[in-house]
Amino acid sequence: MSGVRCLWVGRDEICLLQESFNDLGLVVPWCDQLRVLSHSSVGGFLTHCGWGSVLEAAFVGVPMLALPIMVDHFTISKQIVEDWKIGWRLNKDIRGEHLVVTREEIAKTIHTFMDINSGEREELIKRAKQVEDIFQGAIAKGGSSDTNLDAFIEDITQG
């Protein structure tokens, strides 16, 4: 419905999902997510806000659409949207005991999110690149992750 091409990991639901996407999407049972997110043609990532996936997307500077599902996903969604400012949260309506996002809302948001002529999108990409630089710097020699890991190893080996 959004008119945007996509790759979707569907595991057991491949056939059903592929029919929904027609020519705009490819459904696969598995992929190397970091490798896919690193590809220059990826313009965004719809994420349930699991920490591992979010870190991978931030590490390669990909803007995110946050669709938190449970527990810590809501806090991680806040990190993406409000703190890092590298994504948007899909709005949810409360219906009964369930939070619901309609397919129309998802399609509309994805269409707007991927609009290359949007000033908002330009800002997201700029911020995502800044966050990527911070992540990359942390794992570089002398970066905070490198330094902290060395200090941790030194601390436990001296016991």
Side-chain angles (χ1 to χ4, degrees):
M1 288 175 65
S2 69
V4 174
R5 294 192 179 282
C6 66
L7 172 67
W8 194 275
V9 177
R11 296 194 179 101
D12 297 331
E13 300 86 18
I14 294 173
C15 293
L16 295 172
L17 287 170
Q18 189 62 57
E19 291 172 10
S20 301
F21 287 118
N22 300 320
D23 293 336
L24 288 176
L26 175 63
V27 182
V28 297
W30 182 88
C31 74
D32 180 340
Q33 185 171 279
L34 183 58
R35 188 170 176 199
V36 170
L37 289 170
S38 298
H39 196 277
S40 62
S41 67
V42 173
F45 179 46
L46 174 61
T47 177
H48 72 289
C49 301
W51 191 235
S53 294
V54 167
L55 290 179
E56 287 180 345
F59 184 76
V60 295
V62 174
M64 292 175 253
L65 277 176
L67 184 58
I69 296 172
M70 58 183 201
V71 194
D72 63 337
H73 298 171
F74 296 96
T75 304
I76 295 167
S77 170
K78 179 194 175 297
Q79 185 84 38
I80 295 165
V81 176
E82 297 174 25
D83 299 337
W84 295 342
K85 297 177 177 54
I86 61 172
W88 297 350
R89 184 178 301 110
L90 282 162
N91 294 328
K92 292 185 176 188
D93 296 327
I94 299 175
R95 297 192 187 155
E97 296 179 16
H98 304 285
L99 294 172
V100 177
V101 179
T102 65
R103 67 186 310 158
E104 292 80 14
E105 177 70 20
I106 293 170
K108 178 183 172 191
T109 303
I110 289 173
H111 180 77
T112 305
F113 184 78
M114 295 300 290
D115 180 2
I116 61 172
N117 297 317
S118 165
E120 281 183 276
R121 174 145 181 91
E122 201 171 296
E123 278 301 310
L124 275 179
I125 291 169
K126 180 179 167 186
R127 281 289 303 150
K129 177 64 178 145
Q130 291 171 342
V131 170
E132 175 188 2
D133 291 345
I134 291 167
F135 273 58
Q136 297 283 338
I139 65 163
K141 187 72 179 157
S144 60
S145 290
D146 181 58
T147 303
N148 289 335
L149 185 58
D150 287 347
F152 173 71
I153 291 170
E154 183 177 330
D155 189 42
I156 62 171
T157 56
Q158 293 181 2

